[in-house]
């Protein structure tokens, strides 16, 4: 499980923290200590404590919304209180979903973009096809080059900061332009992409390699024999590396 947090006001620079979890465990078990690490990093970087925390959470199905919200929102609050008694920044918790079957099309052919005839980047829908009572919206933040664009579905599960829908949609769209690997806007906000990259990098750290020695190649150990502590040590990143976006 990986969590990244912004380290400046733009936001363009991010710090990452990663933990080992059991297979198919959806809830981030050690989120409180991970958020605490990132808050300390943010303070060292800016000399300010954040007054608002906006979390984009990826990889949660609709059936697990309440379970994940209950556990992870409490973990974020716990991390804040552990740093300083009475420190309670407003938390906005947003789930990002890409795996759905909703597709959007232009009603007017003149508005279609490119050869594929997709909707323009930045198209937002928050009426008609969204939930009748909950705060959710579809945002297609990227320009579809090939095939039919798949908009991202955002569910705002918790909002202490009382964001207007337009403000949150604009913030989300602008975050899709800050991804350092691409000069275009991408389909989900940059921090969600970065967390994926950190998790993939950690997975490579866990893979047992064939070490080539003078006496021939040999396996460095059976993965079934490795303890949780061994794996946690394997994904740990050097403090000097944490200061740079090593995952980008």
């Amino acid at each position: 499980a990986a969590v990244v947090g912004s380290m400046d006001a733009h936001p363009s620079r991010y710090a990452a923290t990663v933990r080992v979890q059991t297979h198919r465990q959806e809830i981030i078990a050690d989120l409180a200590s991970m958020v605490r690490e990132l808050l300390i990093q943010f303070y060292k970087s800016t000399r300010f404590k954040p007054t608002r925390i906006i979390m984009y959470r990826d990889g949660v199905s609709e059936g697990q919304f309440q379970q994940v919200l209950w556990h992870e929102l409490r973990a974020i609050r716990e991390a804040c209180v552990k740093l300083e008694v009475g420190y309670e920044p407003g938390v906005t918790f947003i789930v990002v979903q890409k795996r759905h079957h909703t597709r959007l099309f232009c009603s007017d052919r003149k508005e279609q973009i490119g050869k594929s005839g997709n909707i323009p980047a930045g198209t937002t829908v928050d009426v008609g096809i969204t939930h009748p009572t909950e705060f959710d919206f579809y945002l297609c933040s990227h320009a579809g080059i090939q095939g039919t664009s798949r908009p991202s579905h955002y569910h705002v599960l918790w909002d202490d900061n009382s964001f207007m829908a337009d403000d949150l949609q604009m913030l989300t769209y602008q975050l899709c332009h800050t991804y350092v690997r691409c000069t275009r806007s991408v389909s989900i906000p940059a921090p969600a992409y970065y967390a994926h990259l950190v998790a993939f990098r950690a997975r490579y750290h866990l893979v047992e390699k064939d070490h080539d020695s003078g006496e021939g190649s040999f396996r460095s150990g059976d993965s079934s024999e490795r303890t949780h502590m061994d794996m946690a040590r394997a994904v740990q990143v050097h403090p000097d590396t944490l200061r740079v976006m090593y995952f980008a």
Side-chain angles (χ1 to χ4, degrees), residues 1 3 16-20 28-41 71-72 74-80 82-83:
V3 180
T17 177
V18 64
R19 296 286 189 278
V20 175
I28 303 173
D30 203 18
L31 184 64
S33 70
M34 296 167 87
V35 171
R36 186 175 179 274
E37 281 178 30
L38 293 172
L39 288 172
I40 292 169
Q41 287 273 87
H71 184 277
E72 296 186 2
R74 197 172 70 167
I76 294 169
R77 296 212 189 285
E78 185 184 317
C80 296
K82 277 184 179 177
L83 283 176

Side-chain angles (χ1 to χ4, degrees), residues 20-68:
V20 175
Q21 289 205 161
T22 54
H23 187 56
R24 294 285 179 190
Q25 183 182 351
E26 191 48 62
I27 293 169
I28 303 173
D30 203 18
L31 184 64
S33 70
M34 296 167 87
V35 171
R36 186 175 179 274
E37 281 178 30
L38 293 172
L39 288 172
I40 292 169
Q41 287 273 87
F42 182 86
Y43 185 77
K44 285 179 180 176
S45 179
T46 63
R47 311 310 300 175
F48 287 100
K49 290 180 292 187
T51 54
R52 295 174 179 175
I53 295 174
I54 302 164
M55 182 164 182
Y56 287 92
R57 177 72 160 87
D58 194 12
V60 182
S61 59
E62 289 192 31
Q64 295 174 310
F65 278 177
Q66 290 309 313
Q67 186 185 2
V68 169

Side-chain angles (χ1 to χ4, degrees), residues 86-135:
Y87 174 51
E88 296 180 1
V91 178
T92 300
F93 195 95
I94 306 164
V95 170
V96 187
Q97 284 186 326
K98 283 278 288 179
R99 292 180 183 178
H100 56 77
H101 300 290
T102 304
R103 301 293 183 272
L104 304 175
F105 301 93
C106 295
S107 56
D108 187 350
R109 293 181 73 89
K110 294 174 185 174
E111 294 176 350
Q112 292 179 350
I113 299 296
K115 293 178 183 177
S116 53
N118 275 306
I119 53 177
T123 301
T124 307
V125 177
D126 57 3
V127 291
I129 59 172
T130 52
H131 198 281
T133 56
E134 293 172 7
F135 185 0

Side-chain angles (χ1 to χ4, degrees), residues 3-11 14 31 35 38-39 42 50-58 72-73 76-77 80 87 89-96 135 137 154-164 167-175 189-192:
V3 180
V4 302
S6 62
M7 293 292 122
D8 56 11
H10 300 312
Y14 289 82
L31 184 64
V35 171
L38 293 172
L39 288 172
F42 182 86
T51 54
R52 295 174 179 175
I53 295 174
I54 302 164
M55 182 164 182
Y56 287 92
R57 177 72 160 87
D58 194 12
E72 296 186 2
L73 185 68
I76 294 169
R77 296 212 189 285
C80 296
Y87 174 51
V91 178
T92 300
F93 195 95
I94 306 164
V95 170
V96 187
F135 185 0
F137 59 92
Y154 298 86
H155 297 261
V156 184
L157 300 187
W158 191 268
D159 184 21
D160 287 330
N161 301 307
S162 304
F163 276 108
M164 298 286 289
D167 294 337
L168 200 54
Q169 289 158 11
M170 184 62 75
L171 171 67
T172 303
Y173 183 46
Q174 288 170 348
L175 282 173

Side-chain angles (χ1 to χ4, degrees), residues 98 118-122 139-145 148-152 173 176 184-188:
K98 283 278 288 179
N118 275 306
I119 53 177
L139 169 63
C140 184
S141 52
H142 64 294
I145 300 168
T148 304
S149 295
R150 181 190 296 176
S152 298
Y173 183 46
C176 294
R184 310 163 70 100
S185 60
V186 290
S187 59
I188 57 175

